[in-house]
Amino acid sequence: MLSLSNVQDARERVEAVARRTPLEYSHTFSDMTGAEVHLKLENFQRTGSFKIRGAMNRITTLSDDEQRAGVVTASAGNHAQGVALAATRAGVDSKIVMPEYAPITKVKATERYGGDVVLYGADYDEAQAKAHEIEREEGRTYVHAFDDEYVMAGQGTIGLEIAEDCPDLDTVVVPIGGGGLISGIATAIKEQYPDVRVVGVQAEQASSAADSLDKGTVQVLDEVDTIADGIAVRRIGDTTFEVIQERVDEIVTVSDEEIAVALTYLLERSKTLVEGAGAVALAALIFEKFDYEADEVIVPALCGGNIDMNTLTTVVMRGLVETGRYLKIRTELKDRPGSLENLIGIIAEEKANIYAVRHDRTSRKIALNATEVEIDLEMRGPDHVDSLLAALRADGYEVEVLD
């Protein structure tokens, strides 16, 4: 099984290209939770993700013949960029198979880091099958995203940094996709400080590790569907599962809505941009998915910051909705002068700000002399939302809150 010495051996190789990322105390989230919260800002890592650590350790430990033959991997984003940069820095040729749907920003970034990108397949599984085909045909070494002890050891260097920078650590909270990150971090911490708790976090709709730990064997999900695309994996690794069983104390799950709220809080209050997978550890903490004591020293690992701009817009909007900062309503008005003015008057009295108004006189659900109105509103929180809805309904409006 992966050992502390493996992680320590990886450190010098990893430090040749990866940054030592900050560990920062957060007044905001400490006040919010009652714990002493320190954020491990791995979203500031080169390539925007921890993946460069494991990729660098794996590639630089290849034999001379393997390095001359080159490497191949499959990824939709973070691992692709990590392998491309690590290979280029080591003077190794890399071929990266990415699904045809992969965001163009991630494709271009992988190419800029020196990877030869092959677009193939509708999803990761099809891209991975193509990568293994290239592995066989060209004699390249396949660099697995997580189920590889060298990769796991490279990721574990984060745990060494956390332990050194936070000597009073009680709990570390780590995202789980395939399990490479948490396996490395848990090994680095538990072998030095066995009393420190390691909590893993998955998205509810991609909970292969949680299901596997519960049933005692690796479980394969039929599908995954989450905004945390960086941890949207249908199964964890066989090697990582062994480490998780041995060294991870608990695995919890968070919803996409909770992830969106955590991401929004980080952006608004800490001025820190993360991707969905980078927000799950904090989401588990602020939504109390695991028990903790007042003043407990907790480190959530923010594992990545590579978020597509279109996705960011959607996620932030969802976060604003969940925190009562944005409201969409639908109601019906008589189609006559003054009807809209009266509705807007109530909204103005409640001091809500209107973003947009949409009329629809063609809906078959309303009378011929009526109009359906949808309004987008900027709000100040859940109490403000409740107050506005109560005022509208008190004036006779039938109001539907839209998702």
Side-chain angles (χ1 to χ4, degrees):
M1 185 178 289
L2 185 70
S3 69
L4 174 61
S5 63
N6 297 142
V7 180
Q8 292 170 330
D9 290 344
R11 187 170 204 164
E12 185 175 348
R13 294 188 288 267
V14 168
E15 287 179 342
V17 65
R19 298 187 177 111
R20 184 187 182 105
T21 51
L23 184 74
E24 293 190 357
Y25 174 74
S26 171
H27 290 280
T28 294
F29 298 116
S30 295
D31 292 344
M32 185 181 295
T33 63
E36 183 181 319
V37 180
H38 300 256
L39 303 176
K40 179 58 173 173
L41 299 173
E42 193 65 11
N43 55 309
F44 290 168
Q45 186 54 264
R46 294 190 69 176
T47 75
S49 162
F50 70 93
K51 291 289 190 178
I52 182 62
R53 296 175 183 259
M56 192 67 186
N57 192 47
R58 182 69 184 98
I59 288 169
T60 54
T61 51
L62 296 175
S63 69
D64 290 343
D65 287 344
E66 287 172 328
Q67 291 197 13
R68 280 192 292 270
V71 297
V72 63
T73 195
S75 170
N78 290 344
H79 181 59
Q81 294 173 67
V83 169
L85 178 57
T88 298
R89 290 294 299 269
V92 174
D93 185 71
S94 64
K95 188 167 286 189
I96 319 292
V97 185
M98 304 180 74
E100 293 177 358
Y101 75 87
I104 189 63
T105 53
K106 294 184 178 182
V107 173
K108 294 299 183 185
T110 303
E111 291 175 336
R112 285 196 300 272
Y113 288 128
D116 178 12
V117 174
V118 177
L119 295 177
Y120 183 88
D123 55 23
Y124 171 78
D125 290 332
E126 291 185 8
Q128 185 181 50
K130 181 65 174 178
H132 283 304
E133 180 183 318
I134 293 171
E135 174 191 16
R136 292 188 296 270
E137 291 177 350
E138 301 183 11
R140 293 173 180 266
T141 297
Y142 185 83
V143 181
H144 203 287
F146 49 84
D147 206 19
D148 179 293
E149 287 201 353
Y150 286 104
V151 171
M152 294 154 62
Q155 323 300 27
T157 58
I158 298 173
L160 298 179
E161 294 174 11
I162 291 172
E164 291 166 357
D165 293 344
C166 191
D168 298 326
L169 177 67
D170 293 312
T171 299
V172 60
V173 191
V174 186
I176 303 179
L181 177 62
I182 197 168
S183 294
I185 290 178
T187 298
I189 289 177
K190 284 286 192 179
E191 288 202 19
Q192 298 181 88
Y193 309 102
D195 292 336
V196 171
R197 182 171 52 156
V198 178
V199 177
V201 187
Q202 292 199 292
E204 285 181 355
Q205 300 303 313
S207 59
S208 60
D211 294 349
S212 298
L213 198 61
D214 182 56
K215 294 181 172 63
T217 58
V218 173
Q219 301 296 303
V220 182
L221 304 177
D222 293 332
E223 61 180 3
V224 291
D225 183 16
T226 173
I227 61 173
D229 58 296
I231 55 172
V233 177
R234 293 200 299 128
R235 77 184 303 275
I236 59 171
D238 295 320
T239 307
T240 60
F241 181 56
E242 293 178 7
V243 180
I244 288 170
Q245 283 185 302
E246 180 74 20
R247 295 172 180 151
V248 175
D249 296 280
E250 183 180 1
I251 298 177
V252 299
T253 61
V254 290
S255 69
D256 274 7
E257 289 75 19
E258 290 162 341
I259 295 169
V261 169
L263 190 154
T264 304
Y265 281 158
L266 280 164
L267 191 59
E268 183 177 43
R269 302 187 184 186
S270 296
K271 310 303 181 264
T272 300
L273 176 64
V274 299
E275 58 191 278
V280 297
L282 181 63
L285 174 60
I286 62 179
F287 286 100
E288 300 181 352
K289 297 295 182 171
F290 58 93
D291 295 330
Y292 56 87
E293 302 294 330
D295 299 322
E296 184 171 329
V297 179
I298 302 177
V299 174
L302 310 186
C303 65
N306 293 322
I307 187 167
D308 178 76
M309 290 298 102
N310 290 328
T311 302
L312 176 62
T313 301
T314 302
V315 172
V316 169
M317 190 59 67
R318 179 67 64 87
L320 292 174
V321 169
E322 292 297 323
T323 55
R325 301 279 301 283
Y326 191 86
L327 178 67
K328 295 178 70 173
I329 61 173
R330 178 190 293 136
T331 191
E332 185 178 323
L333 306 177
K334 291 295 184 183
D335 192 12
R336 61 191 183 198
S339 294
L340 182 59
E341 182 181 7
N342 183 70
L343 175 65
I344 290 176
I346 297 173
I347 293 171
E349 288 176 6
E350 291 294 320
K351 296 182 171 55
N353 187 39
I354 296 176
Y355 274 133
V357 179
R358 291 176 293 277
H359 288 260
D360 184 3
R361 293 180 174 83
T362 64
S363 174
R364 299 176 66 181
K365 297 183 294 183
I366 61 175
L368 291 175
N369 65 341
T371 181
E372 189 176 76
V373 178
E374 291 184 7
I375 304 180
D376 298 357
L377 299 158
E378 179 186 11
M379 307 298 292
R380 296 195 301 274
D383 292 343
H384 192 203
V385 170
D386 291 342
S387 176
L388 173 63
L389 294 176
L392 290 171
R393 288 164 178 159
D395 206 62
Y397 292 99
E398 294 184 6
V399 181
E400 178 186 0
V401 177
L402 305 177
D403 293 333

